[in-house]
Amino acid sequence: MFLPLRWMREFPRHLLVCEKSHVQHERSRHVAHVREHAFNCRVSFLIPDCGIVPQALKNVVADFGEYYLVKNLFLHELVAQEFINTFVKKGSCYALTYNTRIDQDNTAALLPTGKLILSVDKDTYEELGLQGNSSLYSGKKPMRYIIKVDLMDTAFTPENKKYKRIIWALKEKKPLEFDFLLIWQPTGSEEASLMSYFSKKEIQAHRPKVTFSTLRNVQCPILNSDKLHGEPDASCSTQEFFEWLGAIFTHAGLENTSSNFLSTYVCPQPSTLIEQVLMCTITGFIPSEKIIHLLEQICCYFEDPKLAHWVSLIVHGFADSPVSWKENEHGFLKGGENLYNFIIFRNLSYWLQRAVGTYDTCP
């Protein structure tokens, strides 16, 4: 069956940005890349030739801590000076609207840098009267706007006119109310807590869900850390590996048998049969600091001789987060792709793969 040309033009574009480096290289930005991707809903790692969960990695996963769901929270409460002084200025505070859709609803996100980003429809934007810019995905007639407020600005104080106007707009002119996911990573031994601060609200504490599993007799691609794009009969390319990894985590069949009508995918070549592969998935609201710690422990995993040639760490962002990398606007449209993957090799060199959705800015 042939598809009309106009339909083919509507197929979403997907972009995979790849680079390689070494964790001990003075210019490596692996930690910075993790920090720049703030809103994460799922973290997974995969270790070939491993059947038992390494104790160090098990301890890291168990220490991911709690996150909170605060219901019916007014946005102006995150801009209040008390909240800024208690949480924003004394650690990394993450906040993201829950059960909102960036292509239809008003959404908001507080980055650990102290930047509050609002993605609102045209009517809300006009009612608020705050300065912003039209969305990158609005077209010729803007129907959505992005508003950014720097809560860490030294001039952002109760005496400042701009602060007063923002408080007035969010508290009196157009009170915006959401359910928020919140997490706070203090820089020191602070006694404050989100649970006590929002004790008068409907607040729930949640722990990330952790699942471990072992796959048997898995056909794995052969990787060469020096061959990012692969060479025939030498190494699987980074694009091919990314596709294989997706098949593994979605439990797609790799046999390509005549009776399999769901998947005709086969493992890219060259490949080898691995007796057991360990998989771990953590699902929840996960801050960058925890992912950095996990990445460090994965690097430590290779300090002692191991059968595994590499370990994969893949991180999924929220499809409906108003931002993706740094402060870049995230557009859902058809896919909502918003993820990255590290392949860490025995010698501590790594590949970094970042998947960018339709129309999103290249990180």
Side-chain angles (χ1 to χ4, degrees):
M1 181 180 71
F2 292 97
L3 293 176
L5 182 59
R6 63 180 181 87
W7 287 9
M8 296 182 68
R9 288 172 180 168
E10 292 175 359
F11 286 176
R13 174 277 270 169
H14 306 281
L15 180 64
L16 184 65
V17 183
C18 306
E19 62 182 75
K20 66 177 181 178
S21 186
H22 194 285
V23 296
Q24 295 175 342
H25 194 285
E26 60 181 5
R27 293 187 179 180
S28 175
R29 297 191 70 252
H30 59 284
V31 173
H33 286 310
V34 176
R35 291 194 185 280
E36 290 169 356
H37 193 269
F39 301 108
N40 310 292
C41 63
R42 185 164 71 248
V43 178
S44 305
F45 60 84
L46 183 146
I47 310 177
D49 285 308
C50 179
I52 301 175
V53 184
Q55 189 60 47
L57 296 181
K58 184 185 291 186
N59 293 341
V60 172
V61 171
D63 190 43
F64 264 42
E66 294 181 329
Y67 62 95
Y68 302 93
L69 172 61
V70 184
K71 295 190 175 182
N72 304 317
L73 180 65
F74 284 102
L75 188 58
H76 69 79
E77 297 181 70
L78 298 184
V79 185
Q81 201 64 36
E82 182 183 0
F83 182 84
I84 295 173
N85 292 336
T86 305
F87 298 104
V88 179
K89 291 185 177 180
K90 294 183 178 180
S92 299
C93 190
Y94 302 75
L96 182 66
T97 50
Y98 180 66
N99 272 345
T100 53
R101 298 162 295 183
I102 56 175
D103 56 341
Q104 298 182 42
D105 305 322
N106 294 325
T107 64
L110 174 60
L111 289 160
T113 58
K115 292 288 182 67
L116 177 65
I117 298 179
L118 284 66
S119 175
V120 297
D121 57 43
K122 182 180 179 181
D123 291 342
T124 302
Y125 180 71
E126 292 175 347
E127 288 184 69
L128 285 171
L130 299 176
Q131 184 177 1
N133 296 300
S134 59
S135 168
L136 297 173
Y137 315 111
S138 290
K140 294 182 179 180
K141 295 183 178 181
M143 298 302 294
R144 178 161 290 274
Y145 289 82
I146 307 299
I147 301 171
K148 297 184 179 182
V149 181
D150 187 359
L151 305 186
M152 294 290 283
D153 189 340
T154 54
F156 198 68
T157 61
E159 297 78 23
N160 184 271
K161 289 183 179 180
K162 181 179 179 180
Y163 177 86
K164 292 179 179 179
R165 179 169 181 78
I166 291 173
I167 288 290
W168 172 79
L170 295 177
K171 191 174 184 178
E172 300 181 30
K173 187 73 162 35
K174 180 65 176 177
L176 295 175
E177 188 180 27
F178 303 98
D179 293 344
F180 270 100
L181 292 173
L182 282 161
I183 197 166
W184 180 53
Q185 299 292 298
T187 51
S189 54
E190 302 292 337
E191 295 182 359
S193 74
L194 291 168
M195 180 65 84
S196 59
Y197 186 86
F198 291 113
S199 59
K200 296 181 180 179
K201 296 284 184 179
E202 185 180 348
I203 181 170
Q204 303 169 359
H206 297 270
R207 295 192 68 87
K209 179 183 178 182
V210 180
T211 58
F212 292 100
S213 60
T214 301
L215 305 180
R216 306 289 180 182
N217 299 319
V218 179
Q219 201 72 29
C220 288
I222 294 176
L223 303 180
N224 184 334
S225 60
D226 295 326
K227 307 295 183 182
L228 184 65
H229 299 294
E231 293 180 359
D233 302 323
S235 174
C236 170
S237 72
T238 181
Q239 175 74 46
E240 291 173 326
F241 179 79
F242 194 74
E243 294 173 352
W244 173 84
L245 196 64
I248 291 296
F249 278 106
T250 55
H251 305 287
L254 305 179
E255 299 82 12
N256 190 22
T257 60
S258 58
S259 60
N260 190 341
F261 298 100
L262 294 179
S263 173
T264 58
Y265 181 80
V266 293
C267 179
Q269 299 300 317
S271 66
T272 185
L273 186 66
I274 302 297
E275 290 187 5
Q276 51 189 6
V277 175
L278 176 69
M279 290 176 56
C280 173
T281 298
I282 308 107
T283 307
F285 190 34
I286 304 167
S288 300
E289 288 81 0
K290 299 298 183 182
I291 300 173
I292 291 171
H293 190 199
L294 178 58
L295 181 60
E296 291 170 348
Q297 290 303 310
I298 288 176
C299 293
C300 293
Y301 174 74
F302 289 112
E303 289 181 352
D304 297 324
K306 298 292 191 304
L307 291 174
H309 290 270
W310 49 264
V311 174
S312 173
L313 174 67
I314 187 166
V315 180
H316 289 257
F318 287 87
D320 284 287
S321 168
V323 295
S324 53
W325 277 269
K326 299 181 182 179
E327 298 173 20
N328 294 338
E329 183 184 355
H330 176 50
F332 188 96
L333 193 61
K334 296 183 180 179
E337 288 83 358
N338 187 15
L339 64 140
Y340 64 90
N341 177 47
F342 280 100
I343 303 105
I344 303 98
F345 295 92
R346 272 184 188 171
N347 61 359
L348 298 188
S349 63
Y350 67 84
W351 293 352
L352 171 61
Q353 306 167 313
R354 288 175 286 175
V356 183
T358 310
Y359 302 148
D360 273 23
T361 302
C362 181

